[in-house]
Amino acid sequence: RGTEAKMNTNRNYYDMQLEGHPLAPPDVEVSDREVNRFVELVRRGKGVREFDDDCRYEGEFQGGEIHGRGTYYFNDKSVYEGDLLDGYFHGKGTYRVPEGKSGAHVFRGEFREGKREGRGEISFANGISFEGDVRASELKGKGRLEFPNRDVYTGEFEGGLPHGTGSYSFANGSLYEGEWHTGRIQGKGRFLFPEKAEYDHEDYLPTGLNVPDKLRIPAGQIESEFADGKFYKASILPPRAGTAGSPDRD
């Protein structure tokens, strides 16, 4: 039978390929991406990785994988800066969507396996800000929304909207406390009106109440049930004792 080809362990693979040795490993084309990966493996520290979709990562590596602290640049100009674990955004970080892009905002908070998860703060380009619970990259749990006109919502969220129980403080001093459904006042609740508060929108008028162009309720309150943000089954209560506009006030 023919002589069996054996590998000479004293010779390198490159010489074997040149000589056409039957046990020489096949030629392999190594891409720049794989070369960078090899450098990262050797370095096991900081480096750069560029992706085929024009995204780019700069930061720490471990075992050739993105791991530690770093910055990830998306091809739409969005940027993540913070903690990463095995290639995922994981830990604390900041995610920025630049102005001029749809949904422009800045998120600062906690991430888990690539999603916003835990506590966070969001500053939207339209001036609205959020602080509170985030689940699976949605506003969910308890939180606080503040609007550019100084209105403030504090309460429960579901699916990115006020949902459940919460209070809405108007910049003019009025306050709503009660139930919400998918971003609208719905269910049981009450409005508290400060002295000299003025309202000129029919959505805020109790059903059947005959009023002039503007309604004034000094330090009063309305308890009601609501549907689609509007009153029904409303009742006007007298001012609370000791408050502005109360007959008990000196």
Side-chain angles (χ1 to χ4, degrees):
R1 74 185 193 190
T3 303
E4 183 178 357
K6 294 183 180 180
M7 180 180 294
N8 184 343
T9 57
N10 293 321
R11 301 164 64 196
N12 62 43
Y13 289 158
Y14 180 69
D15 289 339
M16 294 169 66
Q17 287 177 335
L18 290 178
E19 296 174 4
H21 194 285
L23 291 182
D27 291 337
V28 177
E29 292 185 6
V30 181
S31 67
D32 290 341
R33 181 175 176 179
E34 289 303 315
V35 171
N36 288 337
R37 178 179 172 84
F38 173 77
V39 172
E40 293 156 11
L41 280 166
V42 174
R43 198 159 33 191
R44 292 178 182 267
K46 292 184 178 180
V48 176
R49 178 176 291 178
E50 297 182 350
F51 298 88
D52 295 338
D53 58 0
D54 295 326
C55 294
R56 189 170 188 265
Y57 171 76
E58 297 179 2
E60 297 177 344
F61 292 81
Q62 182 175 306
E65 297 296 335
I66 294 174
H67 187 101
R69 293 282 298 180
T71 303
Y72 192 97
Y73 301 90
F74 293 86
N75 53 21
D76 66 353
K77 308 303 181 183
S78 300
V79 178
Y80 171 82
E81 183 177 2
D83 298 328
L84 300 104
L85 176 68
D86 296 331
Y88 289 102
F89 304 154
H90 191 96
K92 292 184 178 181
T94 300
Y95 176 73
R96 293 182 174 87
V97 178
E99 292 189 20
K101 297 289 183 178
S102 177
H105 69 279
V106 177
F107 173 85
R108 296 179 178 88
E110 299 174 333
F111 291 79
R112 182 178 179 82
E113 295 182 351
K115 295 184 178 181
R116 308 174 202 199
E117 186 82 18
R119 297 284 296 179
E121 299 177 1
I122 307 175
S123 299
F124 296 94
N126 59 7
I128 297 174
S129 62
F130 169 83
E131 180 178 359
D133 297 330
V134 181
R135 299 287 181 270
S137 295
E138 285 191 342
L139 310 186
K140 185 176 181 179
K142 294 184 178 181
R144 181 179 187 272
L145 274 176
E146 184 170 350
F147 298 86
N149 66 347
R150 295 185 293 115
D151 285 1
V152 176
Y153 170 81
T154 304
E156 298 176 333
F157 289 80
E158 181 75 34
L161 296 170
H163 186 94
T165 302
S167 65
Y168 192 102
S169 176
F170 295 84
N172 65 3
S174 302
L175 176 68
Y176 169 77
E177 297 175 335
E179 297 177 345
W180 295 72
H181 184 77
T182 59
R184 296 181 68 90
I185 294 171
Q186 184 154 323
K188 294 183 178 181
R190 66 173 181 169
F191 270 95
L192 305 178
F193 301 120
E195 186 178 13
K196 297 182 180 179
E198 295 183 356
Y199 304 90
D200 56 7
H201 197 295
E202 63 180 6
D203 284 1
Y204 295 106
L205 303 184
T207 303
L209 183 63
N210 185 17
V211 295
D213 292 339
K214 289 192 175 182
L215 168 66
R216 292 176 179 269
I217 303 179
Q221 53 182 302
I222 292 180
E223 290 191 1
S224 178
E225 294 182 21
F226 300 84
D228 285 335
K230 297 183 179 181
F231 285 112
Y232 79 100
K233 297 183 181 178
S235 63
I236 297 181
L237 304 180
R240 292 170 294 173
T243 59
S246 167
D248 294 338
R249 185 174 181 235
D250 293 336

